[in-house]
Amino acid sequence: MTTSKRPLYIPYAGPTLLEMPLLNKGSAFTQEERLAFNLIGLLPQDEETIEDQLKRAYRQYQQCGTDLERHIYLRAIQDDNETLYFRLVSDHLEEMLPIIYTPTVGKACQEFSNIYRNHRGLFINYSDREHMDDILRSATKGNVQVIVVTDGERILGLGDQGIGGMGIPIGKLALYTACGGISPAYTLPITLDVGTNNQALLDDPMYMGWRHKRVSQDEYNAFVDEFIAAVKRRWPNVLLQFEDFAQANAVPLLERYRDELCCFNDDVQGTASVVVGTLMAACQARQQTLADQRVVFVGGGSAGCGIAEQTVVAMQAEGISEAAARARVFMVDREGLMTTDQDWHRDFQHRLAHDASLVAEWDGQGLEETIAQVKPTVLIGVCGQKGIFTERVVRTMHSGCENPVIFPLSNPTSQAEAVPEDILNWTDGQALVATGSPFEPVVYNGRSIPIAQCNNAYIFPGIGLGVVAAKASRVTDEMLMSASRALAREAPLVKDGKGALLPPLSRIREISMAIAFEVAAQAQHQDVALKTDGTKLREIIQRNCWEPEYRAYRRRSV
Ligand SMILES: O=C([O-])CC(=O)C(=O)O
Ligand SMILES: [Mg+2]
């Protein structure tokens, strides 16, 4: 079945057309199209519908033996026929998200050079820097609206994966389409190949990236500068998402470019936005405010500090002073509670450090002691250290707080600070738990407790859709806060008094639309997008939503 939308006029034909994943329909080309586009004899005789193709594809998917094989299989369909890929993923969204995205995408990054089949996106190598404009020009898509870029240095909690990190921009952009409705014709994944410090990759004869240590900081900064300048020349209005950069670069890059082009850092700002939205939902479900909470973060990197700063802003919005809000937020890192006498902090960490006098009477300032002293109501893990929320840590917290909120957020599953089942067992089933990677519901005392996946996937597709639809020129902090509020409103535990802290992923398309609306309205309010009325805005957002369905093709002469 093709849609009732108007036909597309296509200048390509023959094998070339079949090799264009954005246009290929495979066995679904009609007899008339096969004639018009010189496809006779290039396809088996039977003219199929997308439903026929879906049945075959899903059957083959089910025959794959491992999650990584399922990932490879889906990526192959994506490279062959994007319409079929997105329809298949949309039809089985909850089942396939963990395959195309976290956690399986982590494995796909680690195995990138071993499982490589086909080109997708751009690899911009440091030694090709003089050709930056040519490289961007050779991106076959003319109208790019969203770029996700990584340099592969901090892929999930898995560290430096070199060019293997490309799995992440590809996965994130698949979600922009599957969850946010952005047409795949408008998305472009990019990996900046500035070398790798992962010795195993450098020694691996299969490794496909630049076999070179990461370039020096000065060389790196100049290279990223050239990249951003070239992007601005080629697509001045694009939305650029920074993804999985190392801590040393994430915040500085964001600060350097956020007033220069429409960009955001998903790990810092997207994660902050989804976590604050989930915290708001947890507080509302308990009829408390965020400003009532004492929050301990384990992991003082850019993600942890980003969430902490956004938490401070959200507490202030409830009416307390900045100083009072900061007094309720505690960062624990490798040297324990972050205090102002430690000299390793970067600026963004120093702002969140407590005065050393706070710990003067404590018995050290490690995680357990901090929990015992601070008596937090919320514990958030963003340190990538598996199992750091030990039974002792969780039980100590529970002894000071009847219903603790505990979010082990590190990804993928193998890096989680604790698993939900243990947390619920150690807290007599009282904790409110959300994780970064997906987990099955936990059965406790015969009750099935759903575990929310507090992953930035709830946020970035909606932000992207809102920005693209409203043609916003910047991503402001207030736009991110609107996204948090829109997400909290959808929490089943708040709306219905039961269920999870976040809506099921099966509703993510709808949630992304709601987020897009709030984000776009806020952009208009702040004059970073042209004003329209609300009805018109809804219409524009709707119009920007691409559906994975085949259009009829007519031949256009070149
Ligand atoms: O990709 C994910 O699942 C979330 C994320 O940004 C990260 O962990 O870096
Ligand atoms: Mg990330």
Side-chain angles (χ1 to χ4, degrees):
M1 273 269 294
T2 42
T3 75
S4 53
K5 291 195 181 120
R6 64 178 173 74
L8 289 178
Y9 285 81
I10 307 286
Y12 313 101
T16 307
L17 180 55
L18 299 182
E19 277 153 26
M20 300 178 84
L22 285 169
L23 294 174
N24 185 23
K25 302 195 254 186
S27 58
F29 278 107
T30 63
Q31 290 307 323
E32 297 81 72
E33 286 171 334
R34 293 179 193 207
L35 259 177
F37 289 93
N38 304 350
L39 300 174
I40 303 285
L42 298 185
L43 294 162
Q45 170 66 26
D46 200 20
E47 181 188 317
E48 294 189 309
T49 62
I50 199 165
E51 283 74 20
D52 298 327
Q53 294 177 321
L54 285 164
K55 221 174 280 164
R56 179 179 304 108
Y58 190 52
R59 202 172 292 162
Q60 290 183 27
Y61 173 84
Q62 289 177 308
Q63 283 163 1
C64 297
T66 64
D67 284 347
L68 186 61
E69 283 171 19
R70 284 183 265 276
H71 178 94
I72 293 167
Y73 175 68
L74 290 179
R75 282 279 300 102
I77 299 191
Q78 184 181 19
D79 288 343
D80 179 50
N81 177 339
E82 301 217 31
T83 313
L84 180 61
Y85 169 77
F86 282 111
R87 175 68 191 274
L88 182 65
V89 169
S90 302
D91 284 2
H92 303 274
L93 196 61
E94 276 185 286
E95 180 181 358
M96 292 184 180
L97 272 191
I99 303 297
I100 63 171
Y101 184 62
T102 310
T104 309
V105 72
K107 184 83 183 143
C109 289
Q110 291 173 306
E111 296 292 330
F112 188 83
S113 295
N114 290 320
I115 65 173
Y116 184 85
R117 308 266 153 119
N118 211 336
H119 68 97
R120 172 167 290 266
L122 297 178
F123 295 89
I124 307 184
N125 191 282
Y126 182 75
S127 45
D128 293 330
R129 60 195 178 283
E130 277 143 47
H131 309 295
M132 195 84 81
D133 285 305
D134 296 333
I135 297 172
L136 296 191
R137 210 172 304 122
S138 63
T140 43
K141 300 164 170 179
N143 185 8
V144 171
Q145 299 189 359
V146 186
I147 289 173
V148 177
V149 62
T150 189
D151 68 357
E153 194 168 4
R154 192 240 75 188
I155 292 301
L156 308 176
L158 303 170
D160 188 346
Q161 299 301 326
I163 55 124
M166 182 55 128
I168 293 291
I170 292 174
K172 295 270 172 186
L173 287 167
L175 267 60
Y176 264 98
T177 301
C179 311
I182 308 249
S183 162
Y186 299 152
T187 65
L188 180 65
I190 299 184
T191 291
L192 302 178
D193 186 1
V194 290
T196 176
N197 293 340
N198 182 333
Q199 195 58 44
L201 291 180
L202 291 170
D203 294 341
D204 179 357
M206 277 293 152
Y207 182 60
M208 297 174 80
W210 190 33
R211 224 169 273 276
H212 196 284
K213 288 271 184 216
R214 284 185 181 269
V215 297
S216 73
Q217 192 68 44
D218 286 346
E219 289 168 324
Y220 177 87
N221 290 346
F223 180 66
V224 177
D225 250 355
E226 286 170 46
F227 166 68
I228 296 287
V231 166
K232 282 172 64 180
R233 280 191 292 273
R234 177 81 165 94
W235 300 290
N237 303 317
V238 78
L239 168 65
L240 183 126
Q241 171 169 328
F242 291 104
E243 191 71 50
D244 289 7
F245 283 75
Q247 176 180 315
N249 291 316
V251 174
L253 289 181
L254 180 63
E255 282 171 358
R256 191 153 67 218
Y257 299 116
R258 69 176 305 180
D259 295 325
E260 280 210 23
L261 82 166
C262 187
C263 66
F264 73 106
N265 180 302
D266 184 43
D267 303 293
V268 180
Q269 297 168 290
T271 305
S273 181
V274 71
V275 176
V276 169
T278 315
L279 278 180
M280 285 171 171
C283 293
Q284 285 166 28
R286 301 215 156 134
Q287 281 145 14
Q288 296 171 355
T289 65
L290 199 51
D292 291 331
Q293 312 304 316
R294 286 181 305 281
V295 189
V296 168
F297 289 92
V298 182
S302 45
C305 292
I307 310 167
E309 289 293 349
Q310 194 80 343
T311 305
V312 167
V313 173
M315 285 179 173
Q316 285 177 260
E318 291 176 348
I320 67 170
S321 70
E322 181 179 346
R326 287 188 186 276
R328 307 190 76 85
V329 169
F330 304 84
M331 311 301 298
V332 175
D333 208 88
R334 54 201 156 97
E335 292 183 29
L337 180 73
M338 276 168 37
T339 46
T340 47
D341 55 331
Q342 297 160 334
D343 57 11
W344 54 273
H345 302 151
R346 296 170 187 278
D347 280 355
F348 68 88
Q349 293 166 318
H350 197 75
R351 284 197 287 277
L352 289 157
H354 279 263
D355 195 275
S357 62
L358 178 75
V359 300
E361 310 278 297
W362 293 13
D363 190 10
Q365 59 195 87
L367 175 58
E368 280 179 24
E369 179 68 5
T370 303
I371 300 282
Q373 294 286 349
V374 167
K375 298 194 174 30
T377 56
V378 178
L379 176 64
I380 294 176
V382 270
C383 63
Q385 277 188 54
K386 179 188 169 79
I388 196 169
F389 293 177
T390 59
E391 177 165 1
R392 242 217 22 230
V393 165
V394 173
R395 284 195 188 276
T396 306
M397 179 174 180
H398 188 217
S399 69
C401 167
E402 199 186 335
N403 306 111
V405 172
I406 304 182
F407 295 174
L409 296 182
S410 290
N411 295 316
T413 324
S414 61
Q415 307 307 117
E417 286 83 0
V419 297
E421 186 176 5
D422 284 342
I423 297 175
L424 285 157
N425 282 330
W426 298 333
T427 58
D428 308 326
Q430 305 279 355
L432 269 183
V433 183
T435 52
S437 298
F439 280 90
E440 292 295 319
V442 173
V443 178
Y444 184 84
N445 264 355
R447 180 167 65 106
S448 173
I449 305 173
I451 305 299
Q453 190 189 348
C454 178
N455 187 293
N456 43 29
Y458 275 103
I459 291 283
F460 66 78
I463 291 181
L465 179 61
V467 165
V468 165
K471 296 195 177 10
S473 59
R474 292 291 179 270
V475 181
T476 67
D477 288 338
E478 292 79 3
M479 286 157 69
L480 293 155
M481 192 60 89
S482 318
S484 306
R485 290 205 188 89
L487 181 62
R489 269 207 297 277
E490 301 291 337
L493 200 60
V494 176
K495 275 171 57 171
D496 316 325
K498 58 178 196 300
L501 264 179
L502 287 170
L505 283 162
S506 54
R507 284 190 57 219
I508 198 160
R509 191 80 192 241
E510 198 189 321
I511 307 289
S512 298
M513 299 272 281
I515 291 175
F517 180 80
E518 296 299 335
V519 166
Q522 181 63 33
Q524 294 186 345
H525 178 71
Q526 290 184 278
D527 285 331
V528 293
L530 280 182
K531 286 210 164 52
T532 59
D533 66 37
T535 316
K536 176 95 183 141
L537 184 55
R538 259 178 234 288
E539 234 175 75
I540 300 171
I541 289 173
Q542 193 71 49
R543 213 180 320 123
N544 270 274
C545 279
W546 177 84
E547 294 294 338
E549 45 196 17
Y550 291 136
R551 308 269 297 263
Y553 293 168
R554 303 267 165 77
R555 187 85 190 244
R556 189 179 93 195
S557 47
V558 265

